Amino acid sequence: GAAGAAERGPVWRDDPALLIVDATPHDAEVYLDGRRLGAAGELVALALPVSPGRHVVHVLAPGYRPSVQAFLVDGTFPVRLRATLTPE
């Protein structure tokens, strides 16, 4: 019950922050800080753990302009990024 939750303390302090990436087209490749996360279609509705601090997401697909988004994670709420690539 409530006593058990109080004994554990604030959960958010030990848990990583969460990142949700909504990108199109679905075959676009998504990178976080230079590391591949997967294709956009594979990441739909996934909340990925990310450490607090500054990060950069790149979304790339052949024939499309890349998307680059820098963001700051403070761990208080999930970060949701949306990237809709436009054809070159």
Side-chain angles (χ1 to χ4, degrees), residues 44-73:
V44 172
L46 284 183
L48 306 165
V50 62
S51 61
R54 295 184 186 278
H55 298 279
V56 178
V57 165
H58 288 81
V59 181
L60 310 169
Y64 290 83
R65 290 189 192 149
S67 168
V68 179
Q69 297 184 50
F71 61 98
L72 180 65
V73 173

Side-chain angles (χ1 to χ4, degrees), residues 5 8-9 11-12 15 24-25 30 33 45 47-48 51-52 54 56 63-65 67 70 74-75 77 79 85-87:
R8 286 195 308 266
V11 175
W12 57 266
D15 290 349
T24 54
V30 180
D33 301 329
L48 306 165
S51 61
R54 295 184 186 278
V56 178
Y64 290 83
R65 290 189 192 149
S67 168
D74 65 9
F77 55 89
V79 174
L85 302 187
T86 55

Side-chain angles (χ1 to χ4, degrees), residues 1-23:
E7 290 168 11
R8 286 195 308 266
V11 175
W12 57 266
R13 288 188 184 176
D14 296 326
D15 290 349
L18 297 175
L19 170 66
I20 300 164
V21 179
D22 293 329

